[in-house]
């Protein structure tokens, strides 16, 4: 629902002309919401509007031979094809790796799925819950005395989509520079991206060298990072929560000075930061918790900035929308949609001078560009 649309959205922001192909009843994201006023409407889903910014849209019934042929006519002139369909659907539509290699030898195909297109799990359905569990992410999220947690808001799909976009760009550069292929395959590539593989590499891969070199296995540790040095935790403050992390000794000393150089720092028990993190973290956090409860998020952030101490407030959505830093960067981008009117959405995570990210149109209405795209 997210991985392929977000992958193509990234490509659209970088300047690609992206055509969104949906079934006649629309992408499943159109029914997922959230919706303005909580009223479902297939043209007003927040998830769909965000994940499909910058694209043209067509509706095709790929369960019918005519629809399949129309899809292949689009692929014949395409540089990149992105999909996250069920394994059984691919063969029916003639878009497996083998079929694409024969029919569209120059095409760069990005296939996104929970567990990859090869192996024993290739036909299994899966969502973020299962992907996080298989990748090892759920092993380390949540409190040790509670059930494991999954990452919120479809993060696995977004990260897989981003990985797919980067892979497609590298493959396109390789094709254009004639480094990837030969005359037989014309430089086309089939890129198999698994959501679980991306999560296990990006978010849980550090557990392996930590176990090899330190003999420490990760585990759920609640509001703190299991393998860090005290203080490295999320603590409540007067108006919410703040994340504090001061691993370097100079940072830690500045943090203690900010707290007024409390007497407990002279106790040998509280001079071993590794033990404070690994053996009695709750006890250690209770030493600094009162100071946090005396200040609000903005105060703590400002004090930490002035003293060069790594810190970040945990923002609510309303607070993020009003954050001065994001407004000074002009990070939010305005868009006008024929069904929902004007709305703000998150901008690009970085600014590129040679190829600045941009959005040229809102998400498409269902079948909005059938005549323009399918009519030639």
């Amino acid at each position: 629902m997210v991985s392929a649309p977000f992958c193509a959205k990234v490509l659209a922001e970088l300047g690609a002309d992206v055509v969104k192909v949906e079934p006649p009843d629309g992408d499943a994201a159109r029914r997922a919401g959230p919706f303005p006023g909580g009223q479902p409407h297939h043209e007003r889903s927040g998830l769909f509007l965000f994940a499909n910014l910058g694209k043209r849209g067509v509706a095709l019934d790929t369960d019918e031979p005519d629809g399949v042929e129309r899809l292949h006519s689009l692929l014949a002139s395409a540089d990149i094809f992105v999909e996250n369909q069920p394994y059984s659907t691919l063969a029916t539509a003639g878009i497996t790796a083998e079929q694409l290699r024969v029919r569209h030898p120059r095409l760069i195909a990005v296939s996104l799925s929970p567990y990859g297109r090869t192996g024993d799990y290739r036909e299994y359905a899966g969502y973020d819950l299962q992907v996080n569990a298989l990748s090892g992410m759920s092993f380390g999220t949540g409190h040790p005395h509670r059930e494991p947690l999954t990452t919120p808001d479809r993060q696995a799909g977004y990260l897989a989509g981003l990985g797919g976009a980067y892979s497609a760009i590298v493959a396109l550069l390789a094709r254009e520079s004639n480094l990837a292929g030969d005359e037989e395959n014309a430089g086309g590539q089939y890129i198999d991206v698994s959501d679980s593989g991306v999560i296990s590499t990006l978010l849980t891969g550090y557990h392996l060298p930590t176990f090899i070199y330190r003999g420490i296995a990760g585990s759920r540790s609640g509001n703190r990072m299991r393998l860090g040095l005290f203080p490295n935790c999320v603590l409540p403050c007067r108006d919410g929560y703040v994340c504090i992390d001061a691993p370097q000794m100079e940072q830690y000393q500045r943090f203690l000075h900010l707290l007024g150089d409390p007497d407990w720092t002279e106790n040998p028990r509280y001079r071993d930061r590794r033990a404070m993190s690994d053996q009695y973290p709750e006890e250690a956090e209770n030493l600094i918790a009162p100071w946090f409860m005396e200040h609000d998020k903005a105060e703590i952030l400002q004090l930490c900035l002035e003293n060069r101490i790594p810190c970040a407030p945990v923002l609510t959505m309303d607070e993020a929308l009003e954050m001065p830093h994001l407004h000074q960067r002009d990070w939010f981008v305005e868009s006008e949609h024929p069904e929902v009117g004007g709305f703000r959405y998150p901008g690009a995570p970085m600014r590129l001078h040679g190829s600045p990210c941009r959005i040229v149109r809102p998400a498409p209405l269902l079948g909005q560009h059938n005549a323009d795209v399918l009519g030639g």
Side-chain angles (χ1 to χ4, degrees), residues 66-294:
D66 180 65
V68 172
E69 286 307 308
R70 285 176 175 265
L71 174 62
H72 281 285
S73 70
L74 293 176
L75 298 181
S77 59
D79 290 299
I80 300 170
F81 172 51
V82 183
E83 58 83 15
N84 63 352
Q85 295 300 299
Y87 184 86
S88 59
T89 303
L90 302 181
T92 302
I95 51 177
T96 63
E98 296 75 13
Q99 292 165 320
L100 289 174
R101 187 178 298 113
V102 171
R103 190 160 182 176
H104 308 288
R106 281 182 53 81
L107 184 66
I108 294 165
V110 181
S111 184
L112 299 121
S113 61
Y115 315 115
R117 298 305 188 189
T118 61
D120 295 339
Y121 295 166
R122 66 182 182 274
E123 297 189 49
Y124 284 24
Y127 300 92
D128 270 30
L129 181 66
Q130 295 92 343
V131 165
N132 276 270
L134 182 66
S135 68
M137 188 66 189
S138 299
F139 182 74
T141 51
H143 287 281
H145 62 280
R146 295 287 304 276
E147 63 278 3
L149 299 175
T150 188
T151 53
D153 298 326
R154 305 179 176 88
Q155 283 191 39
Y158 285 117
L159 289 174
L162 192 62
Y166 289 163
S167 301
I169 293 169
V170 172
L172 183 62
L173 293 172
R175 190 190 73 180
E176 297 307 311
S177 61
N178 198 31
L179 294 176
D182 50 34
E183 293 302 322
E184 181 178 349
N185 64 30
Q189 294 195 50
Y190 185 88
I191 302 168
D192 183 1
V193 179
S194 70
D195 300 6
S196 53
V198 170
I199 295 296
S200 64
T201 301
L202 291 181
L203 301 184
T204 61
Y206 67 89
H207 283 292
L208 183 60
T210 302
F211 180 76
I212 292 174
Y213 294 109
R214 293 178 56 192
I216 298 176
S219 62
R220 295 198 295 279
S221 53
N223 64 312
R224 67 192 64 89
M225 181 178 177
R226 169 71 172 83
L227 304 175
L229 281 176
F230 175 84
N232 60 327
C233 51
V234 177
L235 291 176
C237 63
R238 194 158 57 191
D239 64 343
Y241 292 86
V242 170
C243 177
I244 181 75
D245 184 15
Q248 297 178 10
M249 181 54 69
E250 289 187 3
Q251 296 169 341
Y252 182 54
Q253 290 173 340
R254 290 194 296 269
F255 174 66
L256 294 178
H257 185 67
L258 181 61
L259 268 58
D261 295 314
D263 294 339
W264 55 260
T265 59
E266 300 301 322
N267 187 332
R269 180 174 176 82
Y270 303 131
R271 298 184 70 85
D272 186 340
R273 299 173 64 198
R274 177 64 64 191
M276 293 168 76
S277 289
D278 294 347
Q279 299 175 27
Y280 38 93
E282 293 86 358
E283 177 183 335
E285 289 168 11
N286 287 336
L287 298 171
I288 63 176
W291 182 88
F292 282 88
M293 292 303 298
E294 294 171 357

Side-chain angles (χ1 to χ4, degrees), residues 25-48:
D25 61 346
D27 189 302
R30 291 184 179 274
R31 298 178 286 278
F35 302 99
Q39 299 298 316
H41 190 290
H42 70 281
E43 299 291 4
R44 300 177 183 175
S45 164
L47 177 61
F48 182 88

